[in-house]
Amino acid sequence: MTGVSPDPLERRRFSSRERVALFLAADGRCSICGRELAAGWHGDHVKAWSHGGLTDVVNGQALCPECNLKKGSGSMADALGLREWQQEARERYHGRDGGPGNSFLVVATPGAGKTTFALTVAEDLISQGVISKIAVVVPTAHLRRQWSQAASRRGIQLDHRFVNANGAVGKDFDGVAVTYHAVASEPLLWRKLCSGRRTLVIFDEIHHAGEGDGQKWGPALKQAFELAERRLLLSGTPFRTDGTAIPFVNYEEGRAVHGYNYDYGMALTDGGVVRPAVFPAMDGESKWRRSGEHEVTSLTLADTDEKTVPPALKAALDPNGQWIPSVLREADAALTQARIDTPDAGGLVVAFDQSAARAYAQILKDITGEDPAVAVSDEPEASQIIRDFADSDKRWIVAVQMVAEGVDIPRLAVGVYASRIRTRMFFIQVAGRFVRLRGEEDETTARLFIPSIQPLLTYAQEIEKTVDAVLASEEKRVREIQESDGGDPDEPLSLLPAFETVGSSQAVHHTTIASGESITPEEMNYAKNVMSRAGSTPRGLTPEYVALLLRTAGAGTDVPTQRPSTPDQAPLADQKHDVRRLLRRKVGRYSVVVNKPHQHIHADLNRHFGDDAKTATLDSLMKRIALVDRWLKEQE
């Protein structure tokens, strides 16, 4: 090192000498409230670094944490690109009783932005002088690079290529990104690395700490990081203990106690974070041989006997049978439909092992004429395959469990759940790959094709009940504004008794979990009668969709009169923003029912009303919603 300070344009954090200068210039008091500064005070940029502010004492000020966070809740939060939940969680983190070695668990739905939140907290702690190094612990090698890239964009350099044999981290790095497995293999090394410097340890998907090598990871991680200055625990879904508690997590009645929770329903309500999803549940006949006797059942009927679910599902997922090829054909047709509105929309098949993944890829190639991407392990080339697919417009990627969580491919719109794992956590993590919203104009309704078995149907119903409740609440709020004056079967199926697969039938579209409930045979028959009486019906309109529509048709079509705003009402621009969002979701639902692209539906609305949704009046937008509701009812 030459001793020359880095360019303040490139450097985000104030050095120790600069912090001393800021402290002395402020006479040891907060530059905003005047209180005496305590340990952990913030070195703050007057003009935000993200807006071009220099990391120089002339652009710095000494603030107490309270004043800096209050500043952050407004314009600074915007400057940092924080969502409301991220800022709220950040304030809660800094506002609780702290201290060396304390832990904080954040449970946030996939796609919500856990990485951004964690890196913002890391920046806060560095600026306060609380920590000087960061260790990010992740479940897969691919996520090491993903965290490194995200951190680098914020001026934090993490070594994602570090190996235990290195023994020490390069001085020009702010920290490392490492896998749970690597830490568990050399816990004493990591104990030494973290005790030597004030370290923040970020555990990504902390529930993985209860896995690996006969559940030995947990004790190893505790040994490695119990002396860390701070620990931030992240998870994409609530989790339970199976008897072996995960280190640094507090439990109540077996469930992890979080410091902050941001679930799928909250994200859907906020808008701009996640998209709704539907779950076509595919039935079919499975055949297998056990103890010399042939057995046969449908996937739906297999639910009545737990012993029949493993062989029935294994037969259905066998690439040599008829079930999985027929599901892949229907899923590819759904992807073709999605690509009308979103030309680069992609599909993901989650397979149960590498052999099946390659076989599914060959089936998809036969269907589409295009070689799918195949990511079958945590080898470096597999991570590159995932990155290349995310940046391309290829139709399909087939993977085993490595794409189940944490991997960010926002263009995914259609999926096939071809795994034998039936845990709630794994299912939610897979579903999370498809719900990340790409922006406010994204009207995509994600589709995840699933076998028609329990408990997958129940998990899908739980998600869809959330979607329906949020949509109903949103519609109620929009209309009120206008009308007012002011214990699970969680073990992988591979652990169940052995049997010999014989074959499977083509898949049958048993039901679509799109409102949180299953459709009865009587409802199916009635839907078929309605379609028969209607004569010609749109291509792709199935009895399942019609039956679902008959049960969950939208609200009435009376359009409330637009009234003048009152001081208690939201500004007109905000009201129109909420109504447009509701309109997009209504259009998305109608698109699913009639198998028609969103852009065609919007074009029909534009022709009918003689305007465009972007410039339409509030009254016109409300009438658009009423018309879409009427179109939905007409499908009966």
Side-chain angles (χ1 to χ4, degrees):
M1 298 292 291
T2 63
V4 179
S5 298
D7 188 336
L9 282 172
E10 301 294 332
R11 182 168 51 89
R12 184 161 192 168
R13 295 183 294 279
F14 291 105
S15 68
S16 297
R17 300 174 77 176
E18 288 169 329
R19 284 177 58 84
V20 170
L22 293 177
F23 184 89
L24 294 174
D27 196 25
R29 296 184 177 276
C30 175
S31 298
I32 292 180
C33 71
R35 286 185 295 178
E36 186 173 342
L37 293 172
W41 60 272
H42 292 199
D44 175 61
H45 291 73
V46 177
K47 180 181 179 181
W49 183 86
S50 57
H51 284 184
L54 294 175
T55 303
D56 191 302
V57 291
V58 298
N59 186 47
Q61 59 182 344
L63 299 181
C64 67
E66 292 80 4
C67 284
N68 195 29
L69 288 173
K70 286 179 181 177
K71 176 184 176 184
S73 64
S75 59
M76 181 58 69
D78 293 336
L80 293 174
L82 297 182
R83 293 168 177 158
E84 184 175 347
W85 84 263
Q86 293 165 331
Q87 178 61 22
E88 185 175 303
R90 178 189 181 208
E91 292 176 4
R92 185 174 299 181
Y93 176 85
H94 291 297
R96 81 206 191 294
D97 291 334
N102 68 87
S103 302
F104 189 81
L105 171 62
V106 173
V107 178
T109 189
K114 294 186 292 295
T115 301
T116 297
F117 161 75
L119 291 174
T120 301
V121 169
E123 290 176 316
D124 292 341
L125 295 177
I126 290 174
S127 70
Q128 296 170 31
V130 174
I131 65 167
S132 59
K133 290 293 181 181
I134 302 168
V136 180
V137 191
V138 298
T140 67
H142 177 82
L143 291 178
R144 294 178 67 186
R145 183 181 184 88
Q146 192 163 295
W147 269 92
S148 177
Q149 290 175 324
S152 180
R153 289 192 290 268
R154 303 174 71 94
I156 297 175
Q157 299 302 326
L158 300 179
D159 185 1
H160 65 281
R161 298 182 181 275
F162 179 89
V163 293
N164 290 342
N166 290 357
V169 182
K171 294 182 179 180
D172 51 349
F173 285 105
D174 297 299
V176 296
V178 63
T179 64
Y180 284 98
H181 182 271
V183 172
S185 65
E186 292 284 352
L188 293 178
L189 168 65
W190 290 94
R191 184 181 180 89
K192 176 63 177 178
L193 290 175
C194 286
S195 62
R197 302 292 296 271
R198 299 188 309 279
T199 303
L200 165 68
V201 183
I202 300 173
F203 295 95
D204 191 17
E205 307 297 350
I206 182 61
H207 50 270
H208 282 284
E211 302 174 359
D213 298 331
Q215 295 186 326
K216 295 179 181 178
W217 285 7
L221 291 169
K222 183 176 181 180
Q223 183 181 37
F225 298 121
E226 63 181 346
L227 299 180
E229 187 75 19
R230 294 289 176 93
R231 293 180 292 266
L232 186 57
L233 287 52
L234 308 176
S235 179
T237 180
F239 55 93
R240 300 182 62 87
T241 176
D242 57 1
T244 303
I246 294 173
F248 316 124
V249 175
N250 295 321
Y251 293 90
E252 286 183 3
E253 298 181 353
R255 185 169 290 278
V257 178
H258 53 72
Y260 191 88
N261 179 59
Y262 186 68
D263 61 30
Y264 176 69
M266 298 165 69
L268 197 61
T269 299
D270 285 349
V273 180
V274 296
R275 59 166 74 112
V278 297
F279 299 86
M282 311 303 290
D283 199 3
E285 193 174 76
S286 293
K287 304 174 184 178
W288 67 95
R289 183 184 298 108
R290 182 162 44 191
S291 300
E293 296 185 3
H294 284 269
E295 299 187 37
V296 59
T297 187
S298 70
L299 292 176
T300 303
L301 292 179
D303 292 340
T304 61
D305 181 0
E306 176 63 21
K307 292 181 180 180
T308 66
V309 174
L313 185 55
K314 182 177 180 181
L317 298 180
D318 185 350
N320 296 313
Q322 299 182 54
W323 189 88
I324 189 65
S326 63
V327 172
L328 294 175
R329 282 193 295 272
E330 185 157 345
D332 186 67
L335 181 59
T336 297
Q337 180 69 29
R339 287 168 76 96
I340 295 176
D341 287 303
T342 310
D344 68 340
L348 164 67
V349 180
V350 179
F352 60 86
D353 63 24
Q354 296 186 14
S355 176
R358 294 188 176 93
Y360 296 164
Q362 183 58 51
I363 295 171
L364 284 170
K365 181 179 180 181
D366 294 341
I367 294 171
T368 66
E370 176 185 289
D371 279 312
V374 180
V376 296
S377 71
D378 268 349
E379 296 300 322
E381 58 268 24
S383 295
Q384 185 62 50
I385 289 171
I386 294 174
R387 291 195 298 273
D388 291 344
F389 177 80
D391 295 334
S392 73
D393 62 354
K394 288 178 69 73
R395 293 179 70 88
W396 286 98
I397 183 170
V398 185
V400 193
Q401 296 177 19
M402 65 178 299
V403 187
E405 63 185 0
V407 175
D408 183 13
I409 309 177
R411 68 187 187 90
L412 289 178
V414 177
V416 177
Y417 190 94
S419 172
R420 299 180 192 170
I421 298 177
R422 292 183 294 149
T423 64
R424 174 181 278 105
M425 185 180 300
F426 187 76
F427 183 85
I428 292 175
Q429 292 288 355
V430 171
R433 298 311 97 216
F434 303 92
V435 299
R436 184 187 293 269
L437 206 63
R438 301 179 75 179
E440 291 229 345
E441 300 303 316
D442 184 357
E443 298 180 20
T444 304
T445 296
R447 288 177 175 85
L448 178 58
F449 289 77
I450 65 175
S452 182
I453 62 168
Q454 292 292 358
L456 302 186
L457 291 172
T458 297
Y459 303 155
Q461 289 167 350
E462 290 171 352
I463 294 174
E464 278 308 312
K465 285 177 181 176
T466 298
V467 174
D468 271 9
V470 169
L471 184 60
S473 175
E474 186 174 327
E475 183 165 9
K476 182 174 182 288
R477 187 184 75 252
V478 166
R479 294 189 181 278
E480 283 179 347
I481 288 175
Q482 300 307 308
E483 294 174 345
S484 68
D485 294 327
D488 303 323
D490 279 354
E491 56 180 332
L493 301 186
S494 57
L495 301 180
L496 296 168
F499 44 81
E500 180 184 354
T501 295
V502 174
S504 63
S505 70
Q506 290 197 13
V508 178
H509 198 160
H510 169 64
T511 183
T512 296
I513 307 299
S515 287
E517 299 180 13
S518 297
I519 301 170
T520 66
E522 292 77 13
E523 288 174 314
M524 287 289 294
N525 290 334
Y526 180 58
K528 292 176 182 178
N529 289 335
V530 170
M531 294 178 71
S532 177
R533 293 198 305 271
S536 176
T537 57
R539 180 180 62 85
L541 183 62
T542 67
E544 290 81 5
Y545 284 135
V546 175
L548 185 66
L549 177 62
L550 291 170
R551 186 193 296 175
T552 61
T557 59
D558 292 334
V559 180
T561 302
Q562 183 176 348
R563 301 189 180 186
S565 296
T566 67
D568 295 331
Q569 284 184 315
L572 178 61
D574 291 343
Q575 294 182 48
K576 291 175 71 173
H577 175 272
D578 290 342
V579 173
R580 287 193 191 98
R581 185 170 67 180
L582 177 60
L583 174 62
R584 287 195 295 270
R585 291 181 176 174
K586 289 277 189 178
V587 167
R589 172 164 291 190
Y590 184 63
S591 172
V592 170
V593 171
V594 300
N595 200 25
K596 186 175 183 179
H598 301 105
Q599 62 190 37
H600 293 181
I601 299 171
H602 283 297
D604 291 342
L605 291 170
N606 291 343
R607 285 191 294 270
H608 184 89
F609 290 100
D611 58 15
D612 184 275
K614 293 181 180 179
T615 56
T617 65
L618 183 59
D619 181 64
S620 177
L621 291 171
M622 295 297 294
K623 288 179 178 178
R624 285 169 179 257
I625 290 175
L627 181 56
V628 175
D629 281 338
R630 188 162 72 245
W631 286 347
L632 285 166
K633 282 185 174 292
E634 286 173 355
Q635 295 301 313
E636 299 180 13

